[in-house]
């Protein structure tokens, strides 16, 4: 579970996003990060039983993202994130392809997964697989349990025009317009502070698993 002190630290970072405050509270950050690493370790153990591409020996340190922001190309120059994030795949957080994600935030936590902004060839392959196997794709993403939990795919950066090679009357054109193939489910942060928090997150990851298989088959 995520300890209340971890959420309190994230709230305080949001209010005091400067290096001086952070250095004075570095011990609190380290304790919060240790809590997240321990929790992600639980998730890895559970996910390895659901998705055999994820090793039970995967080091949580390869999955949990640093709190330091890359401000080089951002107008927002605050140095620290106000969340912890964890990406889980065969390669931990540095995956190029399908992966699972947990976002830990005092107000906007969520589970997610899929391929976020895949490179051109991968994007082409996923669209092609949806074109060839539309029934299989729809069976996954419109299954009642999946649909109730995740709703529609994330719409970020969706094309306004038709992707090259596909017509407006294609039965899956709204899926083919996507540039990211991801789904997200919001969590009440209180859910992450309960003793069964790992079970809650893993339930979301398990629902994602058939979608992940489809994506892997598309790009293999």
């Amino acid at each position: 579970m995520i300890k209340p002190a971890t959420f309190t630290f994230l709230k305080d970072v949001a209010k005091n996003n400067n290096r001086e405050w952070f250095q004075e509270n570095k011990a609190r950050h380290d304790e919060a990060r240790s809590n997240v690493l321990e929790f992600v370790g639980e998730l890895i153990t559970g996910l390895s039983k659901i998705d055999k591409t994820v090793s039970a020996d995967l080091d949580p340190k390869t999955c949990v993202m640093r709190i330091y922001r890359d401000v080089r190309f951002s107008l927002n120059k605050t140095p620290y994130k106000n969340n912890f994030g964890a990406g889980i795949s065969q390669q931990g957080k540095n995956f190029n392809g399908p992966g699972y994600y947990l976002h830990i935030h005092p107000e906007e936590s969520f589970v997610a997964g899929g391929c976020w902004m895949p490179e051109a060839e991968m994007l082409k392959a996923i669209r092609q697989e949806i074109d060839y196997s539309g029934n299989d794709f729809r069976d996954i993403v419109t299954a009642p349990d999946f649909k109730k939990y995740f709703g529609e795919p994330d719409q970020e950066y969706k094309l306004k025009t038709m992707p090259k090679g596909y017509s407006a009357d294609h039965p899956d054109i709204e899926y083919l317009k996507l540039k990211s193939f991801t789904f997200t489910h919001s969590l009440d942060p209180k859910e992450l502070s309960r003793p069964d928090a790992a079970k809650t997150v893993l339930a979301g990851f398990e629902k994602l698993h058939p979608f992940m298989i489809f994506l892997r088959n598309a790009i293999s």
Side-chain angles (χ1 to χ4, degrees):
M1 59 179 275
I2 300 300
K3 297 176 181 178
T6 297
F7 284 123
T8 300
F9 168 75
L10 290 172
K11 289 178 183 177
D12 290 345
V13 169
K15 296 175 184 176
N16 305 278
N17 205 319
N18 62 79
R19 289 180 176 82
E20 182 179 2
W21 181 91
F22 189 85
Q23 289 305 312
E24 291 174 356
N25 290 269
K26 183 67 161 54
R28 291 179 62 199
H29 162 266
D30 294 348
E31 185 175 343
R33 182 176 171 81
S34 292
N35 174 214
V36 173
L37 287 168
E38 182 179 358
F39 184 66
V40 171
E42 287 185 62
L43 298 180
I44 290 169
T45 299
L47 185 55
S48 69
K49 298 173 184 176
I50 298 167
D51 188 331
K52 299 305 180 184
T53 68
V54 176
S55 170
D57 296 326
L58 184 65
D59 187 345
K61 291 180 181 177
T62 67
C63 299
V64 176
M65 300 170 184
R66 287 157 48 92
I67 201 167
Y68 308 99
R69 294 184 64 250
D70 183 350
V71 300
R72 291 174 298 174
F73 307 108
S74 175
L75 294 176
N76 178 3
K77 298 301 182 182
T78 52
Y80 308 107
K81 302 172 187 174
N82 58 1
N83 71 275
F84 284 107
I88 307 176
S89 73
Q90 289 171 289
Q91 296 82 33
K93 64 180 179 288
N94 297 315
F95 50 83
N96 179 26
Y100 302 88
Y101 179 73
L102 172 65
H103 192 82
I104 301 168
H105 184 279
E107 298 172 1
E108 300 174 341
S109 295
F110 59 84
V111 294
C115 284
W116 184 80
M117 295 298 288
E119 296 175 356
E121 286 303 309
M122 190 179 295
L123 176 60
K124 180 180 178 181
I126 294 171
R127 284 177 174 157
Q128 188 174 74
E129 188 68 15
I130 293 173
D131 182 28
Y132 291 169
S133 307
N135 288 337
D136 293 341
F137 184 78
R138 274 180 262 114
D139 284 347
I140 294 169
V141 302
T142 64
D145 193 38
F146 188 98
K147 187 84 170 179
K148 181 179 178 181
Y149 190 85
F150 287 110
E152 295 297 322
D154 299 325
Q155 304 291 308
E156 190 175 27
Y157 307 123
K158 184 177 180 179
L159 293 175
K160 295 181 179 179
T161 57
M162 302 308 117
K164 186 177 180 180
Y166 299 100
S167 62
D169 61 354
H170 192 289
D172 295 308
I173 192 61
E174 294 305 314
Y175 295 128
L176 295 169
K177 285 182 182 179
L178 297 172
K179 294 180 71 176
S180 285
F181 294 87
T182 59
F183 285 87
T184 299
H185 174 80
S186 296
L187 292 173
D188 186 326
K190 292 178 181 177
E191 294 181 84
L192 294 178
S193 292
R194 294 171 183 158
D196 63 350
K199 186 182 295 185
T200 297
V201 175
L202 288 168
F205 286 167
E206 186 168 19
K207 289 178 175 64
L208 274 170
H209 186 223
F211 176 60
M212 306 294 268
I213 292 173
F214 183 93
L215 293 176
R216 288 192 198 115
N217 290 339
I219 65 177
S220 62

